[in-house]
Amino acid sequence: MTFCTKSWRDRLVDTLHLLHEVQSPFLEAYWRRHGYPVVVTFNGRDETPYPKDDLLWLYDTSLEATRNEEVKYYRKLRAALDPVRGILRSHPALSRALGPMVGNDKFMVEMANGASLTWLSWFVVGLMQRASEFSTSGFESAAEELGALLNASMTTLSVEVPRDLDLGYDALLFSGPKIDRPLELKSGLKVVPFASLEAWVEPSWIRDYLPEHVDRRDWRQIGAIVRPFRWRPHMARMNKPSDKMMPSRPGFEEEAFCFLELLAVSNQTPIIPFVLVNDCLHQAATLLLGKLRGPGSKVHVDTVDWRHDPFRNPPKLHENAIQQAVSAFERRETSAFKRLELVRRRLSESLAREGRFALDDRILDVSQSIELMLEIRGNNVGKKFVSELADLLSSDAEHNAAIRAAAKKFYNVRSAIVHGPSDEHRRRLMQERALTFRSGFNLAQQAYFKLIHDKN
C-alpha cells in the first residue's frame, strides 16, 4: 500500500485538534493539585514557558493507568490520545523504528548532534508545543514540519523541509562590534548577529562565558561566525542504532578565527571569540522529534568578563573595514598571506590585551609585528624600522616624511618601554603610550594589508 503524506498529515491534524480540546480540563485539574505554572511576562508580553513536562506526565500517566479508578478517570483522554499515537505510528519511518512488538512506544532518534531514546508521547507534546508557536493553523504547520522531517529520514533524495528546520549551524561566538547585517563569505561562512540564531543556539548554553549583567534580550555586542549545513534524522529500534552514518564535516574553526582576526585588525577594535558551539539544530526540529535540545559540543575559547560594558553602545563596524577583511580573507591561500599569519594573530590579540601592563604589551606586539613584516634583522634596527616602513607606505615625499616622524616616535616609545624611562625625555614618552599605540597600530595595519595584496 502506498503511503500518502498528505492523507497522513490531514488525519493527524484532525486528531490533534480533538486532543487539544479534551486535554484542557485534565491539565487544569493537574494544576489545581500540583500548582499552576509560574507566569513570566516582560513589557506586557507573556513569556511563560510551554508546560511540556506537565503534558508529558499527563499523557504517560494516562497510558500507564492500571487501577480501575485511574482507567475510568483517564478514559476520555485516552480516547483522544490513542488515535494521535496510532496515526504517528502509521508513518513508515516510525513503524519501522517501533517494530512489531505490541505496545512498544520507544525507539531511537539519531540527529546531527547525537542520538537518544524517545517515545510517542514526546512527539505528541512536541506537536502541541510547536502548534502553540503559530498564530494560526498551528496544528497544520506542525504536522507538515514533522511529516517532512520523517520523510527526509527515509531517503537520500532532497526533501523540502518547511522553514529550514533541516538547517544546522556550527558557530563561533564572539564579543565585539555590532553586526547590523549578515556578511556572507565565499567559503560558505557567514557572520551574523547572535539574536538571529535564537532558534538554533539557546542563550543558556553560553551564559557561563558571559558577565552576569548581560541582558538576554540585548545581544548587541554578541555576534557569531557560522557554517550552515543540512542534516536529516534517522529512526532506529530501541537499543539498536541504525547503520546510517551521519556525514562528517571538516572543522571550520581555523577559517572562522582567521576572518575574525582580519576583521579586528581592519576595524581596529577587539573581537573576543569566547565559545565554539557545534551541531546546533533548529529548536523546532528537536522539539518535534522528541529530543532534548542541546549542541553536539561546546569548546570554551575565552571569557568576555569586564570587557562587556552594558552602558555603552558596541563599537561600530565600518563598511570599509568589512570590505578590507573580506578581500584579504579571499587571498588566504597566497604565500604572502601565509607568511604573515603570526602578524595577523599578534595584531588582533594586541587590541584585546588586558592587565596592568596591557598598554606596554600592545605597543610591543605592534613593534614586533612590524619587524616581522619587514623582516628587519642585524644592526641599526631602529633606522631600518623607520625607513623601510616609510618606503613601503608613502606615496610622495611629504607623505614619506610624515610616516617617518610617526614611525620614529613609535619606535622611541617602544625603546622607552623595553629599556625603561631612564631620563626625562623617556618619561615624557611613557605618558604618550595610548596615542602612540593607536598611531603605531594604524601603520602596522596599513603595512599588513598592503603586503597581503602586493605580493603573492
Side-chain angles (χ1 to χ4, degrees), residues 43-208:
N43 285 345
R45 176 184 172 186
D46 187 0
E47 295 186 353
T48 305
Y50 189 82
K52 60 183 179 182
D53 293 333
D54 297 344
L55 201 54
L56 180 66
W57 182 91
L58 192 62
Y59 291 162
D60 285 346
T61 301
S62 70
L63 293 170
E64 295 167 2
T66 55
R67 295 166 53 194
N68 288 338
E69 59 269 27
E70 288 180 332
V71 173
K72 183 177 179 181
Y73 176 76
Y74 287 115
R75 183 173 296 147
K76 189 175 181 180
L77 179 61
R78 282 289 303 270
L81 178 60
D82 284 345
V84 178
R85 295 168 59 244
I87 294 170
L88 287 172
R89 184 187 292 271
S90 69
H91 194 288
L94 294 181
S95 63
R96 184 174 56 199
L98 288 164
M101 186 184 303
V102 176
N104 176 48
D105 268 8
K106 297 181 178 180
F107 57 97
M108 299 292 293
V109 58
E110 301 171 7
M111 301 165 70
N113 60 356
S116 65
L117 180 69
T118 190
W119 54 98
L120 290 179
S121 294
W122 266 118
F123 272 55
V124 184
V125 171
L127 286 162
M128 288 289 174
Q129 181 174 346
R130 181 58 173 162
S132 72
E133 296 172 0
F134 293 93
S135 56
T136 58
S137 304
F139 289 121
E140 289 80 0
S141 298
E144 179 188 23
E145 291 172 345
L146 177 59
L149 288 167
L150 293 177
N151 289 343
S153 73
M154 300 188 301
T155 179
T156 57
L157 300 177
S158 176
V159 174
E160 185 176 348
V161 179
R163 289 166 282 278
D164 277 335
L165 262 61
D166 62 337
L167 179 65
Y169 288 110
D170 296 322
L172 177 62
L173 275 59
F174 62 85
S175 173
K178 180 183 178 184
I179 308 299
D180 292 314
R181 61 176 178 83
L183 312 175
E184 295 196 21
L185 306 178
K186 289 183 179 179
S187 65
L189 302 186
K190 295 182 180 180
V191 182
V192 297
F194 175 72
S196 69
L197 295 178
E198 190 171 9
W200 286 269
V201 182
E202 170 61 44
S204 63
W205 300 348
I206 65 172
R207 180 55 67 185
D208 291 343

Side-chain angles (χ1 to χ4, degrees), residues 96 107 182 189 228 249 273-274 283 359 413:
R96 184 174 56 199
F107 57 97
L189 302 186
R249 301 185 304 281
F274 60 89
Q283 174 263 343
L359 198 50
V413 173

Side-chain angles (χ1 to χ4, degrees), residues 1-8 11 90-92 154:
M1 185 174 67
T2 303
F3 175 75
C4 176
T5 301
K6 184 179 184 305
S7 174
W8 177 85
R11 291 185 293 121
S90 69
H91 194 288
M154 300 188 301

Side-chain angles (χ1 to χ4, degrees), residues 386-395 400 403-404 450:
V386 172
S387 61
E388 293 188 23
L389 192 57
D391 291 343
L392 174 66
L393 299 178
S394 62
S395 56
N400 187 284
I403 292 176
R404 282 177 178 274
K450 185 174 178 61

Side-chain angles (χ1 to χ4, degrees), residues 252-305:
F252 86 118
E253 303 94 299
E254 185 175 344
E255 287 191 347
F257 279 111
C258 174
F259 183 74
L260 290 183
E261 289 161 358
L262 287 170
L263 197 59
V265 173
S266 63
N267 204 58
Q268 298 195 23
T269 51
I271 294 179
I272 317 297
F274 60 89
V275 65
L276 177 68
V277 192
N278 287 314
D279 298 317
C280 302
L281 307 185
H282 199 291
Q283 174 263 343
T286 58
L287 179 68
L288 289 167
L289 293 173
K291 191 174 183 297
L292 294 178
R293 189 181 185 192
S297 64
K298 288 193 301 181
V299 179
H300 181 209
V301 178
D302 201 348
T303 302
V304 178
D305 53 58

Side-chain angles (χ1 to χ4, degrees), residues 335-368:
S335 58
F337 190 95
K338 293 177 180 179
R339 182 180 76 82
L340 299 178
E341 180 179 358
L342 293 178
V343 172
R344 180 193 75 241
R345 292 181 178 178
R346 187 137 195 176
L347 287 176
S348 66
E349 287 185 10
S350 73
L351 294 163
R353 291 285 186 194
E354 57 183 55
R356 291 176 59 194
F357 301 103
L359 198 50
D360 294 353
D361 292 338
R362 290 173 187 171
I363 291 172
L364 296 179
D365 283 334
V366 171
S367 173
Q368 186 169 5

